Amino acid sequence: NAGVTQTPKFQVLKTGQSMTLQCAQDMNHNSMYWYRQDPGMGLRLIYYSASEGTTDKGEVPNGYNVSRLNKREFSLRLESAAPSQTSVYFCASTGTSYEQYFGPGTRLTVT
Amino acid sequence: AQRVTQPEKLLSVFKGAPVELKCNYSYSGSPELFWYVQYSRQRLQLLLRHISRESIKGFTADLNKGETSFHLKKPFAQEEDSAMYYCALSESFNKFYFGSGTKLNVKP
């Protein structure tokens, strides 16, 4: 039981490049989330998916897109990376207890 | 609008001293509040939630609706409590808002 997994662990992009961050959970959770963590800002919700087939914007959705591919997988895409998107990205999922289970994070640097 | 405020970036205490990590929130409905902890090189994990009214690792948190606070307390800090602590508020269990975090450093 791996819980929440994220790939890649680290990534360096140049401004304007695109990439997709992958997230998967094996706990049969309905809800999944993407956060970014910046120094002094805590975690800010980018997008979430309350169930398979639905996605909604969080606090900071600009510059990102998401896909809830199936119940297990929730990906985050940066179409044209900007230095302001340099951050640590966390994926999380919740089940019926509403406890959030977090992935290990992806450290993204945009130069 | 900032929904969760943690005013202290860093809190340093000596082992055995009491600890209080402050959390204030703004929310018009009935909030669901949580404390999450991130130990060094570990994932962010739930410490406790107010609805459970439980004590985890000696920590407790009381919801004070009048002061809109959910401070985390422990009477005697241990070195292994050193970590980053985040207060979080849930809006209908779909959206979660996290504070900026407080780093707790327990000195020997």
Side-chain angles (χ1 to χ4, degrees):
Chain A
N1 192 343
V4 179
T5 56
Q6 291 182 234
T7 55
K9 284 189 168 50
F10 302 93
Q11 184 72 49
V12 179
L13 292 178
K14 293 188 177 174
T15 298
Q17 287 185 316
S18 62
M19 80 160 295
T20 299
L21 281 65
Q22 307 286 355
C23 173
Q25 51 91 10
D26 60 3
M27 296 173 282
N28 201 36
H29 287 167
N30 283 323
S31 301
M32 296 185 73
Y33 308 80
W34 276 106
Y35 294 91
R36 58 178 289 172
Q37 183 183 44
D38 302 294
M41 304 285 289
L43 279 81
R44 292 182 291 169
L45 183 63
I46 304 172
Y47 271 94
Y48 68 100
S49 170
S51 61
E52 186 179 349
T54 68
T55 61
D56 282 289
K57 294 178 181 179
E59 287 181 273
V60 289
N62 291 345
Y64 305 95
N65 285 304
V66 290
S67 295
R68 183 74 182 267
L69 305 168
N70 47 55
K71 193 169 186 179
R72 288 188 67 248
E73 297 171 289
F74 188 39
S75 62
L76 178 72
R77 183 158 177 85
L78 286 70
E79 291 289 353
S80 179
S84 60
Q85 294 177 305
T86 293
S87 188
V88 181
Y89 291 85
F90 288 98
C91 178
S93 69
T94 62
T96 53
S97 71
Y98 303 110
E99 173 180 349
Q100 295 221 299
Y101 290 84
F102 284 85
T106 295
R107 189 173 294 272
L108 174 67
T109 302
V110 183
T111 61
Chain B
Q2 182 71 32
R3 287 178 174 78
V4 181
T5 304
Q6 293 180 251
E8 302 136 331
K9 283 188 167 46
L10 173 66
L11 188 62
S12 286
V13 301
F14 284 102
K15 177 182 170 182
V19 167
E20 182 179 66
L21 286 80
K22 292 185 168 49
C23 173
N24 290 91
Y25 67 89
S26 60
Y27 186 65
S28 56
S30 292
E32 296 296 337
L33 288 153
F34 306 81
W35 276 98
Y36 280 81
V37 61
Q38 190 171 28
Y39 300 103
S40 180
R41 295 195 180 88
Q42 292 189 29
R43 301 185 187 199
L44 200 62
Q45 58 188 285
L46 179 68
L47 180 61
L48 56 82
R49 50 188 295 183
H50 96 273
I51 199 170
S52 302
R53 298 185 180 278
E54 58 197 343
S55 173
I56 303 290
K57 297 185 179 182
F59 285 98
T60 59
D62 290 318
L63 177 60
N64 185 325
K65 290 189 178 181
E67 295 182 359
T68 59
S69 68
F70 188 56
H71 303 328
L72 184 69
K73 299 177 185 178
K74 184 169 183 176
F76 307 104
Q78 303 300 315
E79 289 180 70
E80 55 265 30
D81 296 328
S82 294
M84 196 75 184
Y85 291 80
Y86 293 94
C87 182
L89 179 151
S90 172
E91 190 177 279
S92 63
F93 291 111
N94 278 326
K95 286 187 175 182
F96 287 78
Y97 299 92
F98 284 77
S100 55
T102 298
K103 184 173 182 179
L104 175 64
N105 180 30
V106 181
K107 298 176 281 189

